[in-house]
Amino acid sequence: MKKDKLYIILCLILATILSGCIEEYQAEIPTTDSDILVVNGTIRSSEQNTFILSLTQAINSDPMLKFAEHAIVSVRGTDGSEYEVDGFYGVYSCWIGELNPDVEYYLHIEYDGDVYESEPQKPLRTEKIADVSVVQNTPESNIDILVTPDAPFNPDKTNYYSWECDETWEVHSEYRTTIYYDIDLKKAVYNDKQFPWRGWKDATKSFMVGASNNYEGQHIQRLKIYDIDRSDERVYYKYSGLVHQRAISKAEYEYELACKQASSEMGGLFTPQPSSLPTNIRCLTSSRHVIGFVGCAMNTSAFRFFLNADDYSIEYPPYEDTRLWVENPSDMNCIRLLEKGMFLCAWIDERLAGKDLQTAWAFQEQLDVRYKGAYTDEPSFWSFTEDDDNLQSSDIK
């Protein structure tokens, strides 16, 4: 759950028409509504289960998320089964084996002298994902990600789902060099292993939800779950998404919609307080509010897709050569450039043809993709078939 779901709106801005000035109004929030417990997680069969416990904060407070530490957490079943959940800094996790489809499960929390429990519910089965498609409607459009689940288990009622996506995309350094300046030889020497020029970044898209009530046979077809701007770095080269699908209840669907509405309207005069969001968790020992919804899943489905930039209309930033070009540098000039932390990128020697020696230099942050926050170990699911041999001689002429 994003941080903005955790904030309590404390300040309203009032326009004072008579005086023409703006004053800050401090809304009176009951003390019982401060530090509200926020629970994020889902009970999942045959998976590692993670539950994040945090506390709400004032919107103008420290932006660091405030976690609920030292809680006692367990997953329990109405058949008497119990799974102890270990925690550290507000993050509590455990492995849960196969759940019984006929048993109801719930989350039990003991924190700060109070006891909280989620509503017991049977684990929901999730259909497989039939397809994830990538569509760009016009050359100027964003790139849409569309999901189609398999035919529903129950075509006679509305089906609800949530999706999230693990994103991975390829990143390149600003420039690549396959040479270096050899001080002893006083010339460019081939070496393509100096700096990693190609890497990857990861991110996770938050929950997206959908309902089947507007689809024939309650079968969702090509539902857009998110899009990517065609000028986004993520689609410059190659992009992959691993979409996770989970069947959810109507109540959880309504909770997620309410959270998104509260998030988009944050700061509005009629924005609901976080404590008014629907929830299936309650405090058994006091009247304290709690925020969150704990679902229960028999399984989740996953589907990996790829997007290659060559197949779409991508808007790249305007190109500007920011390398330092030096014409006919002396040996001492080259050494001084090295001492300044620059590296040789191009060595175009046409002096035998009566022309000049042209050299280009760049800093390491322009040549090493790790300076862009990328890692360089190729993901196991990635594939790269381009012939790299033609790059060996491109920088020396």
Side-chain angles (χ1 to χ4, degrees):
M1 186 181 299
K2 295 180 182 286
K3 290 184 185 177
D4 52 11
K5 292 182 185 176
L6 313 182
Y7 292 148
I8 300 176
I9 301 173
L10 295 182
C11 301
L12 295 175
I13 305 301
L14 299 179
T16 308
I17 299 176
L18 294 177
S19 63
C21 64
I22 297 177
E23 297 179 355
E24 185 179 87
Y25 172 77
Q26 297 290 340
E28 293 185 5
I29 304 297
T31 56
T32 55
D33 277 2
S34 63
D35 284 342
I36 299 175
L37 181 66
V38 181
V39 182
N40 182 24
T42 303
I43 300 171
R44 302 169 186 259
S45 178
S46 303
E47 290 187 31
Q48 185 75 14
N49 283 233
T50 299
F51 303 95
I52 300 176
L53 274 56
S54 57
L55 301 170
T56 56
Q57 303 173 73
I59 197 168
N60 58 353
S61 64
D62 188 331
M64 293 297 292
L65 196 63
K66 185 177 180 182
F67 290 105
E69 302 179 37
H70 310 300
I72 300 175
V73 182
S74 61
V75 173
R76 299 181 178 183
T78 53
D79 61 347
S81 58
E82 182 173 352
Y83 302 87
E84 295 291 338
V85 184
D86 296 326
F88 187 73
Y89 287 118
V91 180
Y92 300 83
S93 61
C94 73
W95 174 267
I96 291 182
E98 186 173 354
L99 299 177
N100 187 330
D102 298 320
V103 173
E104 295 181 329
Y105 296 89
Y106 59 96
L107 190 67
H108 177 90
I109 302 169
E110 298 176 24
Y111 175 71
D112 197 24
D114 282 310
V115 177
Y116 303 83
E117 284 186 353
S118 65
E119 179 183 346
Q121 54 192 308
K122 292 182 178 179
L124 295 175
R125 291 190 304 158
T126 299
E127 298 88 347
K128 292 182 179 180
I129 300 176
D131 184 53
V132 175
S133 52
V134 183
V135 175
Q136 186 177 32
N137 293 316
T138 71
E140 291 75 31
S141 299
N142 291 347
I143 299 172
D144 296 336
I145 311 302
L146 314 176
V147 65
T148 299
D150 264 354
F153 294 130
N154 192 339
D156 298 323
K157 69 173 186 177
T158 302
N159 297 282
Y160 303 93
Y161 304 90
S162 73
W163 297 274
E164 63 179 349
C165 184
D166 297 330
E167 301 177 286
T168 302
W169 63 96
E170 189 171 312
V171 184
H172 292 182
S173 59
E174 187 176 356
Y175 299 102
R176 182 186 180 188
T177 182
T178 61
I179 57 177
Y180 72 97
Y181 181 76
D182 190 298
I183 296 176
D184 297 324
L185 298 176
K186 297 180 176 57
K187 67 175 185 179
V189 177
Y190 174 75
N191 181 2
D192 67 341
K193 304 298 183 183
Q194 298 176 85
F195 305 110
W197 61 275
R198 176 171 167 260
W200 294 266
K201 290 183 180 181
D202 296 326
T204 298
K205 298 291 291 184
S206 59
F207 286 105
M208 294 75 71
V209 295
S212 66
N213 53 309
N214 293 324
Y215 293 85
E216 182 179 354
Q218 302 296 340
H219 188 187
I220 291 176
Q221 301 281 340
R222 295 170 62 83
L223 172 67
K224 175 182 171 181
I225 53 176
Y226 69 96
D227 61 30
I228 307 174
D229 193 295
R230 72 188 188 99
S231 64
D232 195 298
E233 173 198 65
R234 291 176 292 172
V235 294
Y236 284 173
Y237 305 103
K238 188 175 182 179
Y239 171 93
S240 178
L242 180 62
V243 177
H244 302 274
Q245 174 177 282
R246 178 170 62 88
I248 61 176
S249 64
K250 180 181 179 182
E252 185 172 356
Y253 171 78
E254 292 173 345
Y255 167 77
E256 290 293 338
L257 287 184
C259 287
K260 291 182 182 297
Q261 179 184 4
S263 174
S264 63
E265 297 177 358
M266 183 61 68
L269 184 61
F270 302 105
T271 302
Q273 295 294 320
S275 57
S276 68
L277 292 172
T279 178
N280 71 338
I281 312 169
R282 62 192 180 97
C283 182
L284 304 182
T285 52
S286 73
S287 60
R288 291 189 65 86
H289 292 295
V290 59
I291 301 172
F293 200 103
V294 177
C296 189
M298 179 59 70
N299 65 296
T300 57
S301 302
F303 190 104
R304 179 171 295 284
F305 69 95
F306 289 89
L307 182 162
N308 291 290
D310 292 343
D311 299 329
Y312 301 90
S313 172
I314 306 302
E315 182 180 7
Y316 295 95
Y319 176 75
E320 179 183 0
D321 192 344
T322 59
R323 295 173 294 180
L324 176 64
W325 283 89
V326 181
E327 185 177 288
N328 294 322
S330 66
D331 297 338
M332 185 56 65
N333 290 148
C334 293
I335 292 173
R336 286 174 179 169
L337 289 169
L338 292 174
E339 290 174 345
K340 289 181 179 180
M342 303 197 79
F343 296 85
L344 186 62
C345 292
W347 182 276
I348 306 172
D349 192 351
E350 298 180 317
R351 287 175 290 188
L352 293 178
K355 297 182 181 180
D356 295 320
L357 168 65
Q358 301 288 341
T359 66
W361 304 75
F363 290 101
Q364 184 171 351
E365 54 264 33
Q366 298 174 280
L367 302 168
D368 190 332
V369 72
R370 292 172 295 187
Y371 279 84
K372 288 190 171 184
Y375 59 89
T376 57
D377 291 332
E378 183 175 302
S380 59
F381 54 83
W382 213 258
S383 62
F384 190 69
T385 58
E386 293 181 15
D387 185 357
D388 226 12
D389 293 340
N390 65 333
L391 295 173
Q392 293 184 1
S393 60
S394 61
D395 296 331
I396 306 176
K397 295 184 180 178

